[in-house]
Amino acid sequence: MSDNGRVSPREQVLSVVARIPYGRVTGYGTIARMTEGTSARSVGSFMRQLPRGHGLPWHRVVRSDRTLADHGGNTHQRELLEGEGIRFDARGRIEPRFFWP
DNA sequence: GACTTGACCACGG
DNA sequence: ACCGTGGCCAAGT
């Protein structure tokens, strides 16, 4: 924690992302609701600065419309998710049953 | 401290 | 179902 007993927004976000179970996904807005002092947009801003490959399952965070965010480069997010058994429909949307909670 | 920038979202037309 | 619009809030300039 950083100031007066309250955990900083990004710490909370990191903590929630780390808790997303294997084989499930959640949305930016959902994370915003589980944390304080955040919005879906600010959650995305935090995620953007994360160094890749530090162990955090960043790929389990998707848009509320169940499509994958455009990260602006080669990311194998879809492959990573499919590797966990997550299925996409013909439109490129993750099937609702994989959402967490 | 004002102004800009996003891995976003809900809603109306 | 597809846009456009306004709202959101931490960070960076």
Side-chain angles (χ1 to χ4, degrees), chain A residues 36-86:
Chain A
E36 289 174 16
T38 66
S39 65
R41 214 158 177 163
S42 57
V43 169
S45 291
F46 294 145
M47 303 285 300
R48 185 168 61 80
Q49 354 176 312
L50 295 176
R52 295 255 215 47
H54 59 350
L56 200 77
W58 59 270
H59 57 284
R60 298 183 190 142
V61 184
V62 303
R63 292 187 179 133
S64 63
D65 68 358
R66 297 151 42 205
T67 62
L68 303 186
D70 183 8
H71 305 140
N74 314 322
T75 67
H76 351 32
Q77 183 173 14
R78 176 159 180 164
E79 298 169 26
L80 291 171
L81 293 174
E82 287 176 332
E84 300 188 2
I86 293 171

Side-chain angles (χ1 to χ4, degrees), chain A residues 24-46:
Chain A
R24 314 289 301 283
V25 296
T26 196
Y28 294 93
T30 304
I31 293 174
R33 282 230 34 178
M34 299 191 298
T35 55
E36 289 174 16
T38 66
S39 65
R41 214 158 177 163
S42 57
V43 169
S45 291
F46 294 145

